[in-house]
Amino acid sequence: MALGFFCLALFLYLSLDPDSGYTPASAAPSGKEGVEITYGSAIKLMHEKTKFRLHSHDVPYGSGSGQQSVTGFPGVTDSNSYWIVKPVPGKTFKQGDAIKNGATIRLQHMKTRKWLHSHLHASPISGNLEVSCFGDDSNSDTGDHWKLTIEGSGKIWKQDQRVRLQHIDTSGYLHSHDKKYQRIAGGQQEVCGIRERRADNVWLAAEGVYLPVNESSK
């Protein structure tokens, strides 16, 4: 685990800002909120109800858009479950800025550099809104934009805080459930978008490598 965090921190050091220090963090103790999440941090998002991590890999969907698939993954240590939190284009946020309730963000898959994306294609198992990965470092559109809503009274996004991510274009909430793939991603569960607020829409930032907070951003 320590070696994995070291390699991830080194990757971020080389690919982002070499003057920024990173803090590796595992999931916070049960019932406690952890460190603040900032732009530029690499995190794993855990589905609250099933404990699976939001995951992607270089495998396309066999239906719908045919874009890179997004699933829920049961393991904790897989490097394909890291996502870099970034602002939407045109905003002046910097690496290390705190992320406030109601912010519109993007999530970039660390390994393939594609963006968490959604649209009106049907998801493969349940027929809800498909969630995929799309684009690259220089190719992103509004289909990659998600509104962060913190459950409860929190104003700044923190590790292990209950949140929802609502897709701007379709109004679908990032969702998962215990419906699992049998073949290509055997044992992994479907991630999709659903327009209704449900218990299965809730996620928590778990393990990750975090940029220190710019105090002026609060």
Side-chain angles (χ1 to χ4, degrees):
M1 180 68 73
L3 179 59
F5 278 136
F6 172 79
C7 292
L8 178 60
L10 179 60
F11 172 86
L12 291 167
Y13 175 89
L14 293 173
S15 64
L16 293 172
D17 184 351
D19 295 323
S20 298
Y22 284 82
T23 301
S26 57
S30 179
K32 295 184 179 180
E33 293 176 358
V35 299
E36 293 179 0
I37 297 165
T38 59
Y39 289 110
S41 296
I43 65 172
K44 292 185 179 181
L45 279 173
M46 181 180 73
H47 186 240
E48 183 185 48
K49 193 168 183 180
T50 64
K51 311 305 180 191
F52 279 45
R53 270 59 176 176
L54 185 69
H55 182 89
S56 190
H57 37 233
D58 192 14
V59 176
Y61 284 121
S63 61
S65 69
Q67 294 174 3
Q68 182 171 301
S69 57
V70 173
T71 63
F73 190 80
V76 174
T77 60
D78 195 290
S79 61
N80 280 306
S81 300
Y82 279 109
W83 302 83
I84 302 171
V85 187
K86 295 194 174 182
V88 297
K91 298 295 183 180
T92 58
F93 296 114
K94 304 181 297 296
Q95 292 178 45
D97 282 354
I99 302 172
K100 297 179 181 180
N101 185 32
T104 300
I105 64 172
R106 297 179 297 166
L107 293 171
Q108 186 176 34
H109 189 241
M110 193 185 76
K111 196 164 186 179
T112 64
R113 312 301 291 176
K114 297 181 184 292
W115 304 96
L116 186 69
H117 186 88
S118 191
H119 36 222
L120 297 178
H121 290 284
S123 62
I125 297 178
S126 64
N128 292 307
L129 298 168
E130 183 189 272
V131 173
S132 63
C133 269
F134 175 76
D136 52 40
D137 287 317
S138 57
N139 183 17
S140 177
D141 61 28
T142 59
D144 309 329
H145 295 187
W146 301 82
K147 179 183 178 181
L148 172 78
T149 302
I150 298 170
E151 295 290 293
S153 58
K155 296 181 179 179
I156 301 293
W157 191 14
K158 295 181 180 180
Q159 181 196 28
D160 270 32
Q161 197 171 44
R162 301 175 72 247
V163 302
R164 297 177 194 269
L165 290 167
Q166 186 176 22
H167 190 243
I168 296 297
D169 283 358
T170 65
S171 300
Y173 289 97
L174 187 66
H175 181 91
S176 194
H177 39 215
D178 60 3
K179 296 179 174 62
K180 294 182 174 62
Y181 292 97
Q182 300 299 319
R183 288 182 291 179
I184 295 177
Q188 297 176 40
Q189 67 190 27
E190 185 184 55
V191 170
C192 58
I194 287 185
R195 291 190 175 98
E196 300 84 15
R197 287 172 62 93
R198 298 184 186 177
D200 286 348
N201 301 152
V202 178
W203 300 79
L204 302 91
E207 305 80 15
V209 178
Y210 299 93
L211 276 170
V213 178
N214 294 328
E215 294 299 326
S216 61
S217 68
K218 293 186 179 180

